[in-house]
Amino acid sequence: MRDDTALWDSPRDPAKPIGLGPAKLTPVHLTRQTLVSGPNVLTQTDLPLVDWPGAAPADAYAVTLRRDRLLLVNAPETPDGWNEATQQASSDVTDAYTVFDLTGDALPLLRRGAEITPDIPSRSTARLLFGLGVFLYRMEDAKTYRLHVPRAHAEALVTHFEKAASHLNSGSRAPGPVLGPLTMRS
């Protein structure tokens, strides 16, 4: 039998930061991620709401995805399913999304994969980045961007960032794969 191991990338250490030239992509472990959907969901949470380009605090917060959906980060546990009292459905999605912090000179990298404009606000943090759906927002440290990507797309996102960093570091002025933001009506 022939050895085909050279045809496959070796697995990455899931906890190891990834150098991207002047930026760094670091995997983040969150205690809990919970999707909450329902009418008036934005007014029924006590957590600080994080939209674009707002900054998230270091502890628990709610990321706005659209007018009827939030991603609660590190919030207290809530039972899955429909809550008749609040008219909301909640789902534990802790294992559904891989989370990364992008630090350093990150904006040029982000702009290689999406139309990112920090000075134009948006209620939603949902974006298409390199053609992949992500939730993107800043942390309290203005130089840190946090990304939530579906777990199955995490490796593809890392590969796109590596290629974008390589392209930027080579000094090429050619445009990279730039895709528009995911727009959701609110």
Side-chain angles (χ1 to χ4, degrees):
M1 177 173 236
R2 69 177 186 217
D3 181 8
D4 286 337
T5 56
L7 299 176
W8 303 98
D9 292 335
S10 58
R12 296 179 194 269
D13 178 350
K16 184 178 177 187
I18 300 157
L20 301 171
K24 181 171 63 171
L25 193 64
T26 306
V28 176
H29 175 73
L30 299 174
T31 305
R32 183 174 297 103
Q33 299 179 73
T34 308
L35 273 178
V36 179
S37 303
N40 302 319
V41 72
L42 299 177
T43 60
Q44 292 186 21
T45 183
D46 295 330
L47 298 173
L49 294 176
V50 178
D51 52 19
W52 179 260
D59 51 355
Y61 52 91
V63 180
T64 58
L65 307 179
R66 58 187 206 212
R67 69 177 172 224
D68 63 349
R69 182 162 297 158
L70 294 173
L71 178 68
L72 306 182
V73 176
N74 293 333
E77 187 173 358
T78 58
D80 284 347
W82 183 254
N83 181 326
E84 191 64 40
T86 62
Q87 296 291 297
Q88 295 177 355
S90 65
S91 301
D92 183 344
V93 293
T94 305
D95 293 330
Y97 293 98
T98 299
V99 182
F100 295 101
D101 277 353
L102 183 63
T103 57
D105 191 16
L107 200 52
L109 277 172
L110 290 170
R111 286 185 169 156
R112 296 299 283 184
E115 183 179 326
I116 302 293
T117 312
D119 53 343
I120 298 178
S122 171
R123 182 54 115 173
S124 177
T125 60
R127 300 282 181 269
L128 279 178
L129 183 61
F130 300 109
L132 304 169
V134 301
F135 307 139
L136 173 68
Y137 53 95
R138 292 180 317 128
M139 296 303 290
E140 282 180 322
D141 167 13
K143 287 268 187 180
T144 301
Y145 291 90
R146 182 159 286 172
L147 300 108
H148 300 247
V149 61
R151 187 168 302 279
H153 298 163
E155 186 63 29
L157 182 69
V158 170
T159 300
H160 282 299
F161 270 127
E162 289 174 332
K163 287 181 181 180
S166 172
H167 195 77
L168 285 172
N169 293 335
S170 72
S172 173
R173 293 184 143 317
V178 177
L179 303 170
L182 177 64
T183 56
M184 295 184 175
R185 299 190 189 276
S186 46

